[in-house]
Amino acid sequence: MKPVKPNQLIRACLCVLLILVSQNGFATNVVEGLRVWPSPSNTRVVLDLSAQPEYSYFTLSNPTRLVIDLANTQSNFDLSNVKSTSKLVKKVRYSTPKNKNSVRVVLELDIPANTEIFALPPTAPYKNRLVIDLSDKNEQPQQAVMTSDRSTRDRDIIIAIDAGHGGEDPGSIGPSGTYEKNITLSVSKKLAEKIDKEPGMRAVMTRTGDYYISPNDRPELARRSKADLFVSIHADAFTTPQPNGASVWVLSMGRANSELGRWMERTERHSELLGGAAEVIQDTASERYLAQALLDMSMDHSLTTSYDISKIVIKELKDVTKLHKKRPQAASLAVLTSPDIPSILVEVGFISNPKEEKNLNWAKHRQRLADSVFQAIRQYFKKLPPDGTMWASLSKAEKRTHRVRSGESLSLLAQRYNVRIKAIKEANNLRTDTVRIGQVLTIPST
């Protein structure tokens, strides 16, 4: 007879113990929490569990209900405390279970809904989760915020603003417990407000509340809005608290060009798992194929524009915060893969740095960050407005030149034409304040 190894004996004993426990009426899994995350187009319900769930579900009508049975499970969580503002989910409650070792959860729905249910393994800061995605069966897919054609004369310049993370994905968490998703949404809303106040510009946001959107879906929302620029707002983080400062990122056609870039690529995948992106778990091969197909498309114009805008954003950011990098950085990030829309990712600071976490929690600092990004965007499009926009029409009508005469200086010309010295220098690529007699200068409109 072959001797039994100690490890095999331990595993066998554990299996027998689990069977005995189950047979004697003790559940091995526990419902520890439930959250409802409504968004404009769907609702996500998440059950927190102590172990991987074993589940089944069915629907009932008159009234409409979704019933979920969790086998070998008990509940330590009071569902009466769960409040729902969803237009789909009216109430979440328990019902009579199939047997004493199971839990039955009922979602009372206002309308019939498409349902997708999947389990997720532990991903910090969460344990095991069961995710229920619901969407209105009768609702059409989300359409563009702006429906007019991009070629329409005198249209607005559209800036798509993407508040990073959201919902189940908190992003990075600061030493004092600050969630990146809250910082990014606040800065994004302030930036959108500045853009909407500027005649000839309009902001659209990928998310306006605390809900999850897959990184792969965010550029698509910008495309549906016919955006001229995609700006994704994030707060950086690293494994140690020392790194600090803002940075701006553009798409890399290959690998990231820094250690921090490689870290960001890894954390983007982590964010997808936190948000419960079913496509990441079910079909990573097709995702890689799609990403490669996007990257293989012609992106020269978008990449060049992205880099040029990034340099201006960095120049403006350095007046309000410390810079982590003085040049645009590159990484292969899903939110930047739109082939036809210039796209940048702005890291407004390191939330993992205690001092910067404190700054990011200061509303005035977030406003300054938003103002600096706005000034950079405005500056770029004033100089190079997209064809067909109101700004392009104004630029053609207002383009002025001036031949420098004896005794004239940049400060005198700025005062005469009511523009900033900095604007004249940028319009003429001047590195100093010196001008020559006879030199022809372009005078910008602002």
Side-chain angles (χ1 to χ4, degrees), residues 402-404 428 430 434-441:
H402 179 90
R403 185 179 296 276
V404 178
N428 295 275
L430 299 177
T434 303
V435 291
R436 305 183 311 276
I437 296 174
Q439 183 177 2
V440 177
L441 298 175

Side-chain angles (χ1 to χ4, degrees), residues 332-435:
S332 181
L333 301 170
V335 293
L336 299 179
T337 54
S338 179
D340 53 342
I341 303 174
S343 305
I344 65 173
L345 186 149
V346 181
E347 297 279 7
V348 294
F350 276 79
I351 202 169
S352 53
N353 179 285
K355 184 178 179 181
E356 290 207 334
E357 180 191 20
K358 185 178 180 180
N359 286 340
L360 291 170
N361 277 312
W362 184 27
K364 192 171 182 179
H365 181 68
R366 295 197 301 274
Q367 184 66 61
R368 287 171 178 168
L369 292 167
D371 290 349
S372 65
V373 176
F374 166 72
Q375 288 298 337
I377 294 170
R378 182 180 183 276
Q379 185 182 136
Y380 177 84
F381 284 114
K382 277 292 184 181
K383 188 175 180 181
L384 294 169
D387 289 341
T389 62
M390 182 184 80
W391 283 18
S393 298
L394 291 174
S395 178
K396 290 176 183 177
E398 296 178 5
K399 192 168 184 179
R400 299 167 290 182
T401 59
H402 179 90
R403 185 179 296 276
V404 178
R405 301 183 182 89
S406 177
E408 291 181 330
S409 64
L410 279 183
S411 59
L412 180 66
L413 294 176
Q415 185 176 2
R416 180 182 300 170
Y417 289 103
N418 194 29
V419 295
R420 295 183 302 166
I421 294 175
K422 183 179 178 182
I424 298 177
K425 291 174 68 175
E426 287 172 350
N428 295 275
N429 295 318
L430 299 177
R431 296 188 177 182
T432 69
D433 290 346
T434 303
V435 291

Side-chain angles (χ1 to χ4, degrees), residues 251-315:
L251 179 66
S252 168
M253 298 299 284
R255 292 184 175 181
N257 61 2
S258 70
E259 182 183 359
L260 182 59
R262 290 187 289 273
W263 169 262
M264 288 175 64
E265 290 172 1
R266 289 196 299 272
T267 55
E268 184 180 75
R269 177 54 60 93
H270 180 71
S271 291
E272 290 175 339
L273 292 172
L274 279 173
E279 67 271 15
V280 174
I281 297 162
Q282 296 173 355
D283 195 6
T284 54
S286 64
E287 183 198 334
R288 285 196 299 270
Y289 176 81
L290 174 61
Q292 189 59 49
L294 285 172
L295 291 172
D296 286 344
M297 295 178 70
S298 177
M299 300 178 71
D300 288 349
H301 172 72
S302 292
L303 289 173
T304 300
T305 302
S306 302
Y307 190 81
D308 290 344
I309 294 174
S310 295
K311 289 191 293 185
I312 303 173
V313 173
I314 289 172
K315 190 188 300 183

